[in-house]
Amino acid sequence: MAGELIRLDNKHISVDQMTMSVDWVLQCYIHNMFGPPPPLIENYLREARFWHVATIGQGCKLDPKLISALIERWRLETHTFYLPCGECTITLEDVHLQLGLPVDGYTVTESASSTVWGTVCYELLGAIPYNINEGRIEMGWLRDTFPEPDNDSTELERIRYAQAYILEMIGGYLMPDLPRNLVHLRWLLKLIDFRAVGELSWGSTVLATLYKEICGARLNKAKIGGCLSLLQSWARFRFPFTSSSVGVFNRLTDPK
């Protein structure tokens, strides 16, 4: 059955897996938030439409066996999972239901004309990190530089903390940069006006990034990034038997 469903077998990772003594399992990456968002920035996160995902971005534990089994069934030609029950995939509706991110509105582009990232960071966050790697900064710097606001904090301090908090979610939970714990400052350019942030289709960007990561991982890569919590929660919602990783690969591929 598996051989009949898989085209381009000579390029598919299952060719290598079939010769292995143990199942091949991807290295999966996620950087959970350290805690729930403080109430003082709730209004900003709601306006930006990041509030729901901020409340679920802590303590997510990934199941590499489940994720690897799903990647085995992914088809590059159609961006769908080929299962014995038919074809299926993660849709924008799933993104909205699972993460609460907007899936309509303006497209979130990754391009940015500015290359003076230190200036961008200082103008928007009021501080410059000691190390900027081609526009990427360490998320640990964000946590160290912007402490949680209290009742005595100014509105500007709360706004900057909210921007830093969203950056951490983007770089660690929604579109993680694999193990490097970095986030690109191009996303900061989208967070200037929270009302405008909420009019962007963040959900479609997260889904497109996940599709790209799945395609890359299927072609003989050992690591996978993207919003894997979305992939995992989608699978467990659509296929309840995947709540246990025992025998997941067999149950996803067995025609019976």
Side-chain angles (χ1 to χ4, degrees):
M1 182 66 179
E4 295 174 357
L5 287 176
I6 299 174
R7 295 178 55 207
L8 306 175
D9 286 321
N10 62 323
K11 296 182 180 180
H12 197 277
I13 53 176
S14 62
V15 176
D16 292 330
Q17 185 183 26
M18 290 176 184
T19 63
M20 295 179 181
S21 58
V22 295
D23 287 339
W24 174 81
V25 179
L26 285 165
Q27 296 182 42
C28 306
Y29 292 95
I30 188 173
H31 305 283
N32 288 306
M33 303 300 293
F34 281 88
L40 290 175
I41 67 168
E42 178 177 347
N43 289 337
Y44 303 125
L45 295 183
R46 286 190 180 277
E47 191 172 30
R49 300 176 70 179
F50 272 84
W51 174 252
H52 177 72
V53 71
T55 60
I56 63 174
Q58 305 95 39
C60 177
K61 185 177 181 180
L62 297 178
D63 186 342
K65 292 184 178 180
L66 168 60
I67 293 171
S68 299
L70 287 168
I71 303 306
E72 286 292 308
R73 312 311 305 160
W74 181 258
R75 299 310 304 149
L76 296 174
E77 302 93 331
T78 58
H79 283 181
T80 57
F81 299 100
Y82 274 36
L83 303 177
C85 59
E87 296 180 47
C88 56
T89 194
I90 308 170
T91 65
L92 288 175
E93 181 183 24
D94 293 311
V95 177
H96 183 65
L97 292 175
Q98 297 281 352
L99 301 178
L101 291 173
V103 296
D104 50 5
Y106 299 102
T107 302
V108 184
T109 59
E110 294 188 5
S111 60
S113 58
S114 176
T115 56
V116 188
W117 295 112
T119 301
V120 170
C121 196
Y122 182 77
E123 289 181 352
L124 297 179
L125 295 179
I128 301 177
Y130 51 85
N131 183 28
I132 301 179
N133 181 15
E134 297 181 350
R136 293 176 173 83
I137 61 173
E138 296 181 2
M139 287 184 287
W141 176 83
L142 292 172
R143 291 190 292 269
D144 295 339
T145 306
F146 301 96
E148 183 175 322
D150 53 30
N151 292 330
D152 296 328
S153 60
T154 64
E155 182 178 7
L156 179 59
E157 290 173 336
R158 297 177 186 182
I159 289 175
R160 285 174 172 171
Y161 180 84
Q163 291 172 326
Y165 194 93
I166 294 175
L167 272 181
E168 282 193 65
M169 279 195 293
I170 292 173
Y173 187 79
L174 297 175
M175 293 177 278
D177 192 12
L178 293 182
R180 294 190 290 176
N181 204 32
L182 303 175
V183 61
H184 204 289
L185 286 171
R186 64 171 174 261
W187 304 119
L188 180 60
L189 294 174
K190 311 295 182 182
L191 305 179
I192 299 174
D193 183 343
F194 291 119
R195 184 177 297 277
V197 172
E199 296 177 353
L200 298 175
S201 181
W202 290 97
S204 60
T205 301
V206 170
L207 183 59
T209 301
L210 178 60
Y211 277 8
K212 180 180 178 181
E213 288 291 330
I214 294 176
C215 289
R218 209 220 63 170
L219 293 173
N220 295 310
K221 289 190 177 181
K223 303 175 182 179
I224 183 171
C227 192
L228 298 180
S229 62
L230 170 63
L231 173 60
Q232 184 169 281
S233 62
W234 169 83
R236 290 178 172 172
F237 176 72
R238 299 296 184 184
F239 310 102
F241 66 83
T242 60
S243 59
S244 173
S245 62
V246 178
V248 164
F249 181 78
N250 291 333
R251 298 185 70 176
L252 284 175
T253 58
D254 188 352
K256 300 179 181 179

